[in-house]
Amino acid sequence: MKITDTSDLWWKNAIIYCLDVETYLDSDGDGIGDMQGLAQRIDYLAQLGVTCLWLMPFYPTPDRDDGYDITDFYGVDPRLGNHGEFVEMIRTAHDRGMRVIVDLVVNHTSDRHPWFQKAKRSVNSPYRDFYIWRDDAPPKGQKNPVFPGEADGVWSKDEASGQWYQHSFYEHQPDLNIANPAVRDELARVIGYWLQMGVSGFRVDAVPFLLEMPPGAEIPDPHELLRDFRRFLQRRSSEAILLGEVNLPYDQQVAYFGGGDVSELSMQFDFVGMQAFYLSLARRDPAPLVAALTSRPVLPEDVQWANFLRNHDELTLDKLTDAEREEVFDAFAPDERQRVFGRGITRRLPPMLGDPRRIRMAYSLLFTLPGTPVLFYGEEIGMGENIDIPGRSAVRTPMQWTSEKNGGFSQAAPSRLIAQPPGDGYAPQHVNAADQIEDRESLLHFFRDLISRYRISPELGWGTLEVLEQPVDTLLVHSLRADVGRMVAIHNFADVPATTSFSLKDEPDGTRLVDLLGAERIPLDERGGVELEVPAYGYRWLRVSRPGDGRVS
């Protein structure tokens, strides 16, 4: 690769930042965030170093599932603004060097979507086949695997016709029938529409559910839908991407990238690695994470893993064994109210880890893992959850801008807010962006520093992983190597300092390690070795600087 390749495959060294417009900033005092509010904070995001915004659903919705129940795939919810304000926000982001991707939620619609309303009017409606129906009653005792305990089964009866419709999620979210060519044409129009509005791609929701075919479907390979999406996407925009939510084991997940000359998803979230990360944190032992990272399948050069520590849903632990899951629960969610669906945690990372040193170590490691880092809004200032809000919504509280009323999110009465901020030690008077902007030692400045170093180190997004041998079990020492350079990262999972040593035997004489987070220049000995001290929960970013490599730092 050349340094210029990084602009062609921009997503391989991007900084992706996920936010929900309705909880980011309220510009008109109605208690709900909006497009104009987001536009006012584009400069804050640019200064943070964000290069790609990911917007959670902002479409018209009855809002029974936090916006994922959509009544118009082409619309903007009037509570949040209009198309003109959306375009202004996109243009402002582009001007500050940021791309924008949006949620593509096309596994289902709201039951109030005009398509479903027309489908229910008659079994002969042309929209009837937009959804999946059955004549016979489903088996008794059916379960809903997505929302156990909150949703009953995956079939509900339409009383007017006596038929049953399928819903993989909630009853009010009927599944679309993607085996129907008319549905596939509509989804392509949706993709084309938002590309024309200026977005640079889509985060595709619940991809495995999207590809589920109804009985008797004449599509032998459901992945052809993803291939069609990708081909259409590339015809309309050469830079646009598909970032897929595919929570499957690696050996199944790799198929969603495509293979050979046939592309599907550009990026996928690494759920397996994320869950192993928390198991390693709970054990203070990097071994589970190392096992996950070294078992990742080899990918084509033009696709990428998306790494994350937190997202807008529960922190799922479904890929761990029952015993492993209990370890993580005991360590980070000891209160039953902090757990959901028997598999997940409804907390943000700072309250889980507690120790500020440990929090910074975790995020340092996130930025040095092979792949692209994805942040959830508020992580950069260490926001906590509101435990009084049940379920996954506990982490979907308003962004905390100041210590003032409502955390500076809105001038509305607190009772009118879309959600209530935490009222404990993570309340806005204790955790907010304004205070941290003025504090050079704050978590916000820590994130800015990490991101600035990440952006000048393309080997972090492009490099090949090598776990380096060294004598301390609680340390992870790994290298990322690409044509443009090499980086060594060290992370201490324990609360005691350690001394480590390792060797870079294949490096030429005169090679030094440049500390990107400090000022040290560390020479290798005659055998390519080095010995280093690492503080409790410490971390080091060390660029391998070879003689004449030409980089300034």
Side-chain angles (χ1 to χ4, degrees):
M1 62 166 290
K2 306 183 298 294
I3 193 67
T4 49
D5 294 334
T6 61
S7 60
D8 291 333
L9 302 180
W10 61 267
W11 55 92
K12 294 197 67 167
N13 61 330
I15 302 292
I16 301 176
Y17 185 97
C18 171
L19 64 87
D20 190 347
V21 175
E22 71 176 9
T23 58
Y24 209 59
L25 183 66
D26 170 21
S27 71
D28 58 9
D30 65 354
I32 302 170
D34 47 51
M35 292 294 175
Q36 290 192 51
L38 172 55
Q40 292 174 28
R41 289 294 184 259
I42 293 295
D43 284 329
Y44 164 85
L45 294 168
Q47 193 170 23
L48 178 61
V50 172
T51 63
C52 178
L53 298 184
W54 156 24
L55 304 185
M56 291 170 61
F58 52 83
Y59 314 103
T61 174
D63 209 23
R64 298 179 66 187
D65 184 24
D66 202 31
Y68 285 87
D69 49 329
I70 296 168
T71 58
D72 180 5
F73 291 125
Y74 300 97
V76 175
D77 192 306
R79 299 175 308 146
L80 310 182
N82 56 47
H83 287 89
E85 292 163 345
F86 176 85
V87 170
E88 287 179 343
M89 179 275 298
I90 290 277
R91 184 174 177 82
T92 305
H94 287 176
D95 180 68
R96 306 308 196 269
M98 275 178 276
R99 294 173 170 90
V100 179
I101 64 174
V102 300
D103 253 305
L104 185 67
V105 188
V106 290
N107 165 264
H108 54 259
T109 69
S110 166
D111 60 1
R112 301 185 193 176
H113 194 289
W115 296 346
F116 193 68
Q117 293 296 308
K118 294 174 182 177
K120 289 199 304 178
R121 289 175 188 165
S122 169
V123 295
N124 298 316
S125 167
Y127 288 94
R128 190 74 173 185
D129 197 37
F130 271 45
Y131 299 89
I132 301 170
W133 304 85
R134 63 187 292 166
D135 293 319
D136 57 320
K140 292 184 178 180
Q142 57 173 329
K143 304 293 184 183
N144 186 295
V146 180
F147 301 125
E150 288 192 8
D152 295 327
V154 296
W155 293 95
S156 290
K157 192 173 185 179
D158 170 36
E159 296 296 339
S161 65
Q163 287 186 319
W164 302 73
Y165 65 87
Q166 180 177 295
H167 54 89
S168 299
F169 296 83
Y170 291 111
E171 180 179 354
H172 58 81
Q173 294 168 322
D175 288 353
L176 285 168
N177 175 15
I178 66 161
N180 182 347
V183 171
R184 297 198 299 275
D185 287 346
E186 284 288 351
L187 300 187
R189 291 188 187 101
V190 170
I191 291 172
Y193 176 82
W194 290 108
L195 289 175
Q196 199 70 24
M197 294 286 281
V199 308
S200 296
F202 303 86
R203 176 265 187 184
V204 189
D205 185 59
V207 180
F209 291 97
L210 174 63
L211 299 194
E212 284 188 352
M213 290 290 120
E218 296 182 0
I219 298 179
D221 181 7
H223 280 263
E224 189 60 30
L225 174 69
L226 279 185
R227 292 191 280 271
D228 284 346
F229 276 0
R230 185 65 180 275
R231 285 189 286 259
F232 179 83
L233 192 79
Q234 296 305 300
R235 289 198 301 271
R236 294 294 180 94
S237 172
S238 61
E239 74 158 13
I241 65 165
L242 296 176
L243 168 57
E245 181 190 31
V246 184
N247 183 11
L248 293 173
Y250 285 140
D251 59 344
Q252 299 175 45
Q253 194 172 0
V254 69
Y256 290 79
F257 283 117
D261 296 329
V262 181
S263 299
E264 296 183 26
L265 296 174
S266 319
M267 302 178 69
Q268 292 181 56
F269 294 102
D270 183 2
F271 283 92
V272 173
M274 178 274 291
Q275 295 177 51
F277 185 95
Y278 279 96
L279 183 59
S280 282
L281 289 175
R283 293 179 175 177
R284 292 178 165 80
D285 179 0
L289 177 60
V290 170
L293 294 175
T294 54
S295 67
R296 278 177 169 180
V298 177
L299 301 180
E301 189 177 67
D302 62 345
V303 300
Q304 179 74 304
W305 295 107
N307 301 316
F308 67 106
L309 298 186
R310 202 63 185 86
N311 63 13
H312 58 288
D313 289 331
E314 78 277 6
L315 197 163
T316 185
L317 304 171
D318 64 323
K319 297 297 178 289
L320 301 182
T321 67
D322 291 346
E324 291 169 341
R325 190 178 306 113
E326 284 303 317
E327 284 186 67
V328 180
F329 278 158
D330 290 344
F332 302 129
D335 188 332
E336 286 289 341
R337 294 178 301 165
Q338 299 165 343
R339 309 177 188 181
V340 69
F341 306 138
R343 65 172 185 246
I345 295 176
T346 61
R347 308 185 73 191
R348 282 182 176 256
L349 184 139
M352 284 194 286
L353 300 192
D355 190 322
R357 300 171 301 170
R358 202 179 187 193
I359 294 167
R360 295 186 184 211
M361 185 278 290
Y363 283 115
S364 170
L365 183 51
L366 171 68
F367 278 87
T368 60
L369 292 178
T372 298
V374 181
L375 301 174
F376 185 46
Y377 76 95
E379 284 192 278
E380 74 277 12
I381 60 172
M383 277 175 53
E385 73 281 351
N386 184 351
I387 195 173
D388 294 327
I389 302 176
R392 52 174 61 181
S393 295
V395 302
R396 301 174 181 178
T397 56
M399 179 66 182
Q400 297 171 195
W401 295 108
T402 71
S403 60
E404 299 170 349
K405 172 186 172 183
N406 302 327
F409 163 73
S410 173
Q411 291 301 311
S415 61
R416 296 182 61 201
L417 297 186
I418 187 70
Q420 295 298 316
D424 55 15
Y426 290 90
Q429 56 264 42
H430 305 296
V431 177
N432 66 77
D435 288 348
Q436 294 193 26
I437 287 172
E438 301 302 324
D439 179 3
R440 191 61 187 80
E441 302 302 316
S442 68
L443 187 64
L444 176 60
H445 278 278
F446 167 78
F447 267 91
R448 287 181 178 180
D449 288 345
L450 286 190
I451 291 172
S452 68
R453 303 307 190 272
Y454 176 91
R455 292 290 294 161
I456 62 170
S457 305
E459 58 267 41
L460 292 177
W462 287 72
T464 300
L465 173 72
E466 178 186 1
V467 177
L468 301 179
E469 292 185 7
Q470 52 84 41
V472 186
D473 291 341
T474 59
L475 295 186
L476 171 57
V477 181
H478 72 278
S479 162
L480 287 170
R481 186 200 308 252
D483 294 342
V484 294
R486 185 181 187 186
M487 175 84 77
V488 174
I490 306 173
H491 291 86
N492 187 356
F493 283 69
D495 57 356
V496 294
T499 301
T500 188
S501 59
F502 56 89
S503 178
L504 304 176
K505 297 176 182 178
D506 55 345
E507 295 297 340
D509 292 342
T511 296
R512 298 182 303 168
L513 299 179
V514 177
D515 188 343
L516 291 188
L517 303 179
E520 283 190 87
R521 301 293 187 268
I522 307 164
L524 302 180
D525 64 26
E526 64 276 6
R527 292 176 295 179
V530 66
E531 183 175 283
L532 294 170
E533 300 288 331
V534 187
Y537 297 132
Y539 46 89
R540 305 287 294 271
W541 289 26
L542 303 171
R543 170 168 292 156
V544 178
S545 178
R546 306 177 182 106
D549 71 0
R551 292 215 260 189
V552 175
S553 61

